[in-house]
Coordinates of all heavy atoms in Angstrom, one line a residue:
L1 N -18.0 1.9 7.6 CA -16.6 2.0 7.8 C -15.8 0.8 7.5 O -14.8 0.7 6.8 CB -16.3 2.5 9.2 CG -14.8 2.5 9.6 CD1 -14.1 3.5 8.8 CD2 -14.6 3.0 11.1
A2 N -16.4 -0.4 7.9 CA -15.8 -1.7 7.6 C -15.8 -1.9 5.9 O -14.8 -2.4 5.5 CB -16.7 -2.8 8.1
D3 N -16.8 -1.3 5.3 CA -16.8 -1.5 3.9 C -15.6 -0.5 3.2 O -15.0 -1.0 2.3 CB -18.1 -1.1 3.2 CG -19.3 -2.0 3.6 OD1 -18.8 -3.2 3.8 OD2 -20.4 -1.6 3.5
L4 N -15.4 0.6 3.8 CA -14.5 1.5 3.3 C -13.1 0.9 3.5 O -12.1 1.1 2.7 CB -14.5 2.9 4.0 CG -15.8 3.7 3.8 CD1 -15.7 5.1 4.5 CD2 -16.1 4.0 2.3
Q5 N -12.9 0.4 4.7 CA -11.6 -0.4 5.1 C -11.3 -1.4 4.1 O -10.1 -1.6 3.7 CB -11.6 -0.7 6.5 CG -11.6 0.4 7.5 CD -11.8 -0.1 8.9 OE1 -12.3 -1.2 9.2 NE2 -11.4 0.8 9.8
A6 N -12.3 -2.3 3.8 CA -12.0 -3.4 2.9 C -11.8 -3.0 1.5 O -10.8 -3.5 0.8 CB -13.4 -4.2 2.9
A7 N -12.4 -1.8 1.0 CA -12.2 -1.4 -0.3 C -10.6 -0.7 -0.5 O -10.1 -0.7 -1.6 CB -13.1 -0.2 -0.6
L8 N -10.1 -0.4 0.7 CA -8.6 0.1 0.5 C -7.7 -1.0 0.1 O -6.6 -0.7 -0.5 CB -8.3 0.6 1.9 CG -8.0 2.1 2.0 CD1 -9.4 2.9 1.9 CD2 -7.3 2.6 3.4
E9 N -8.2 -2.2 0.2 CA -7.3 -3.3 -0.2 C -7.0 -3.3 -1.6 O -6.1 -4.0 -2.1 CB -7.7 -4.7 0.4 CG -7.9 -4.8 1.8 CD -6.5 -4.8 2.5 OE1 -5.5 -5.2 1.7 OE2 -6.4 -4.3 3.6
R10 N -7.8 -2.7 -2.4 CA -7.7 -2.6 -3.8 C -6.7 -1.5 -4.3 O -6.4 -1.5 -5.6 CB -9.0 -2.5 -4.5 CG -10.1 -3.5 -4.2 CD -11.2 -3.4 -5.2 NE -11.9 -2.1 -5.2 CZ -12.8 -1.8 -4.5 NH1 -13.3 -2.6 -3.5 NH2 -13.3 -0.6 -4.6
V11 N -6.1 -0.8 -3.5 CA -5.2 0.2 -3.9 C -3.9 -0.3 -4.3 O -3.3 -1.1 -3.7 CB -5.1 1.3 -2.8 CG1 -3.9 2.3 -3.1 CG2 -6.3 2.0 -2.4
D12 N -3.5 0.2 -5.4 CA -2.2 -0.4 -6.1 C -1.0 0.2 -5.6 O -0.9 1.3 -5.3 CB -2.3 -0.1 -7.6 CG -1.1 -0.7 -8.4 OD1 -0.7 -1.9 -7.9 OD2 -0.7 -0.2 -9.3
V13 N 0.0 -0.7 -5.2 CA 1.2 -0.3 -4.7 C 2.4 -0.8 -5.6 O 2.5 -1.9 -5.7 CB 1.5 -0.7 -3.3 CG1 2.9 -0.1 -2.8 CG2 0.4 -0.3 -2.4
D14 N 3.1 0.1 -6.3 CA 4.1 -0.3 -7.2 C 5.3 -0.9 -6.3 O 5.5 -0.6 -5.2 CB 4.8 0.9 -8.0 CG 3.8 1.3 -9.1 OD1 2.9 0.5 -9.5 OD2 3.9 2.4 -9.7
D15 N 6.1 -1.8 -7.1 CA 7.1 -2.5 -6.2 C 8.2 -1.4 -5.8 O 8.8 -1.7 -4.8 CB 7.7 -3.5 -7.2 CG 8.7 -4.5 -6.3 OD1 8.2 -5.2 -5.5 OD2 9.8 -4.5 -6.6
D16 N 8.4 -0.4 -6.7 CA 9.5 0.6 -6.1 C 9.0 1.4 -4.9 O 9.9 1.7 -4.2 CB 9.8 1.5 -7.4 CG 8.7 2.2 -7.9 OD1 7.5 2.0 -7.5 OD2 8.9 3.1 -8.8
V17 N 7.7 1.6 -4.8 CA 7.2 2.3 -3.6 C 7.3 1.4 -2.4 O 7.6 1.8 -1.4 CB 5.8 2.8 -3.9 CG1 5.2 3.4 -2.5 CG2 5.8 3.9 -4.9
L18 N 7.0 0.1 -2.7 CA 7.1 -0.9 -1.6 C 8.5 -1.0 -1.1 O 8.7 -1.1 0.1 CB 6.5 -2.3 -2.1 CG 6.5 -3.5 -1.2 CD1 5.4 -4.4 -1.6 CD2 7.8 -4.2 -1.1
R19 N 9.5 -1.0 -2.1 CA 10.9 -1.1 -1.6 C 11.3 0.2 -0.9 O 12.1 0.1 0.0 CB 11.8 -1.3 -2.8 CG 11.7 -2.8 -3.4 CD 12.1 -3.8 -2.3 NE 13.4 -3.5 -1.8 CZ 14.5 -4.1 -2.2 NH1 14.4 -4.9 -3.2 NH2 15.6 -3.9 -1.7
Y20 N 10.7 1.3 -1.3 CA 11.1 2.6 -0.5 C 10.7 2.4 0.9 O 11.3 2.9 1.8 CB 10.4 3.7 -1.3 CG 10.6 5.1 -0.6 CD1 12.0 5.4 -0.3 CD2 9.6 6.0 -0.3 CE1 12.2 6.7 0.2 CE2 9.9 7.2 0.2 CZ 11.2 7.6 0.5 OH 11.5 8.9 1.1
C21 N 9.4 1.8 1.2 CA 8.9 1.6 2.5 C 10.0 0.7 3.4 O 10.3 1.0 4.4 CB 7.6 1.0 2.6 SG 6.2 1.9 1.9
V22 N 10.4 -0.3 2.6 CA 11.4 -1.3 3.4 C 12.7 -0.5 3.5 O 13.3 -0.7 4.6 CB 11.6 -2.5 2.3 CG1 12.8 -3.3 2.9 CG2 10.3 -3.4 2.3
D23 N 13.2 0.3 2.6 CA 14.4 1.0 2.7 C 14.4 2.0 3.8 O 15.4 2.1 4.6 CB 14.8 1.7 1.4 CG 15.2 0.6 0.3 OD1 15.4 -0.5 0.6 OD2 15.2 1.1 -0.9
L24 N 13.4 2.7 3.9 CA 13.3 3.8 5.0 C 13.2 2.9 6.4 O 14.0 3.4 7.4 CB 11.9 4.5 4.9 CG 11.9 5.7 4.1 CD1 10.6 6.3 4.1 CD2 13.0 6.7 4.7
A25 N 12.4 2.0 6.5 CA 12.5 1.2 7.9 C 13.8 0.5 8.1 O 14.4 0.6 9.3 CB 11.4 0.1 7.8

């Protein structure tokens, strides 16, 4: 499980999706 959690760090997040998270909050 720790390995799976560490591997998630490689998932790509586009800047427009990141800004969407910020705008919603």
Side-chain angles (χ1 to χ4, degrees):
L1 175 59
D3 291 340
L4 298 180
Q5 292 172 335
L8 248 67
E9 296 296 333
R10 300 196 305 270
V11 175
D12 183 32
V13 183
D14 285 344
D15 192 63
D16 56 353
V17 175
L18 185 149
R19 287 304 303 266
Y20 183 49
C21 295
V22 172
D23 290 344
L24 272 178

